[in-house]
Amino acid sequence: MKPVYVLNGPNLNRLGKREPHIYGTTTLAEIEENCRRVVGERPLIFRQTNSEETLIGLVHEAIDEGAGIVINPAAFTFTSLALLDALKMFEGPVIELHISNIHKREQIYHKSYVSMRADAVIAGLGAYGYEAALVALLRLVKD
Ligand code: DHK
């Protein structure tokens, strides 16, 4: 059984303390725990990086090894064509996830490059969004 990937972009390592009025108080470690409960037997690669290069490297790894991707690209959502190009090479299902409802926020958070590849987008469900995205992803993966 191929692993599914949950990838997290910049500043998400600060969840729990970071702007709790926007991102809540759940830490990334707690989110990972919840994700591992959802996937059960399915192997899960759960990573966070503040580096665009590293995030693209993880997508390349998923291209070779993975069955599906849930990605919260954080600020790279709105800036990285390189990340979009990497995701375009991935053949499995991709679900784009945002803890906050980006469409309810400032204009700078409205245009997502990642959405040009994502099969689905979840935004505004808080930390629970990760679990919802994984439940949906497990339905979409083909292996
Ligand atoms: C997280 C971020 O870091 C922001 O750059 C995005 C996203 C929203 C989130 O809601 O998870 O705008």
Side-chain angles (χ1 to χ4, degrees), residues 10-12 18 23 72 74-75 78 97-100 102 105 109:
N11 305 305
L12 293 171
R18 177 192 180 195
Y23 301 107
N72 183 344
F78 319 101
L97 168 77
H98 302 283
I99 295 166
S100 64
I102 55 174
R105 300 181 59 187
Y109 297 122

Side-chain angles (χ1 to χ4, degrees), residues 14-88:
R14 307 294 299 179
L15 285 175
K17 294 194 191 88
R18 177 192 180 195
E19 299 176 279
H21 59 292
I22 297 174
Y23 301 107
T25 56
T26 308
T27 66
L28 197 61
E30 288 163 341
I31 288 171
E32 179 174 356
E33 226 178 279
N34 296 336
C35 289
R36 290 198 181 282
R37 210 180 32 254
V38 168
V39 295
E41 298 302 301
R42 164 80 62 176
L44 169 67
I45 310 281
F46 188 101
R47 296 289 300 280
Q48 185 277 334
T49 180
N50 296 323
S51 151
E52 188 175 4
E53 179 190 356
T54 303
L55 190 58
I56 289 166
L58 287 163
V59 172
H60 290 174
E61 184 189 303
I63 290 166
D64 300 330
E65 317 280 336
I69 299 174
V70 168
I71 184 164
N72 183 344
F76 293 151
T77 306
F78 319 101
T79 60
S80 183
L81 288 178
L83 179 59
L84 169 61
D85 288 346
L87 288 165
K88 281 181 179 171

